[in-house]
Amino acid sequence: MRAAVVALALSLSVAGFAQEPTATVVSDTVVVEGLTSMLDAEEVSSRLTSGLTNTFVIEVAVRYGRRVATRGAARVDVRWELWDDEFLVSWIDLTGTINRLTATSLDELVAWWNGARFAVAPAPPRDSKAKPLVTITVGFLPFSNSESNAARSWLSQSMSGSSNDPEGPNEPGGGAEPGRVIDLVVATSIVSESIFEKRWTVPLIGGD
């Protein structure tokens, strides 16, 4: 598996850094995709099979000039299960819903990540005098087991609205109000610090 991770980094080194993500307005929501170069980075690829819960925090700010018109965030957790030899992936975005999938190989994980689309922010109001630009920041945070458990417990309680509510985000019926997602996602940094970060500024497609 580790050899496959190294091969991944080598095979994507040219294409990954040459490609920029895109931000598009879809049904009044800013959707980002094309974050392929994150998995290419050595700081990321070398930890994918570490057994830690590896977290990607995606933050977006849409600006007209210096004015921030809207912002949002998403969070993606990836954990490799040693005994089952598979990757468990979960993510939360503007919808406030926890989504999950299981990747049975590194290739499958990479294929999903390369095609993933994240709804991260409400579409900004139109401005006839300026074109909107989007700053996309993605941080990578490897969690220890204790940090992961603490973050999961804190996030579940915060998102369910009560520490006594049995329906946290990982249970049917659980979830967060979309307006609270950005605060909950960014608060991930309370229990772990990003060790790798990439930032892009791209035009907002369909936002004129």
Side-chain angles (χ1 to χ4, degrees):
M1 178 64 72
R2 293 189 181 279
V5 172
V6 174
L8 165 67
L10 292 176
S11 65
L12 293 181
S13 60
V14 176
F17 284 104
Q19 179 178 341
E20 286 193 338
T22 60
T24 308
V25 174
V26 179
S27 300
D28 297 323
T29 300
V30 178
V31 175
V32 298
E33 58 185 315
L35 303 174
T36 55
S37 59
M38 284 300 297
L39 293 189
D40 178 34
E42 182 180 355
E43 293 90 338
V44 177
S45 62
S46 63
R47 289 174 170 82
L48 285 177
T49 56
S50 65
L52 300 179
T53 298
N54 295 298
T55 295
F56 299 87
V57 173
I58 306 167
E59 299 179 64
V60 164
V62 182
R63 291 182 169 83
Y64 289 105
R66 296 183 177 179
R67 178 174 65 87
V68 176
T70 187
R71 63 173 66 245
R75 167 179 163 153
V76 183
D77 291 336
V78 179
R79 187 173 78 253
W80 181 51
E81 289 291 338
L82 173 63
W83 301 115
D84 297 324
D85 197 19
E86 61 186 17
F87 295 92
L88 303 182
V89 184
S90 63
W91 68 98
I92 181 172
D93 56 17
L94 181 68
T95 66
T97 302
I98 296 287
N99 305 278
R100 295 182 181 83
L101 66 84
T102 298
T104 58
S105 68
L106 182 62
D107 288 342
E108 189 174 326
L109 173 66
V110 172
W112 171 79
W113 178 266
N114 288 350
R117 309 176 80 221
F118 303 104
V120 289
R126 295 181 180 273
D127 187 331
S128 60
K129 298 180 180 179
K131 292 185 177 297
L133 291 177
V134 184
T135 300
I136 304 171
T137 305
V138 184
F140 175 69
L141 304 82
F143 278 59
S144 67
N145 288 334
S146 60
E147 288 174 327
S148 179
N149 291 336
R152 187 179 299 110
S153 175
W154 182 87
L155 188 62
S156 296
Q157 293 177 14
S158 298
M159 292 176 64
S160 65
S162 169
S163 59
N164 298 319
D165 187 346
E167 288 192 337
N170 296 323
E171 300 298 331
E177 297 178 3
R180 299 182 62 202
V181 172
I182 183 172
D183 295 328
L184 297 171
V185 170
V186 173
T188 299
S189 60
I190 293 175
V191 291
S192 189
E193 184 177 354
S194 174
I195 65 168
F196 180 76
E197 183 177 283
K198 293 204 70 171
R199 180 173 296 174
W200 303 266
T201 299
V202 300
L204 180 61
I205 301 171
D208 296 333

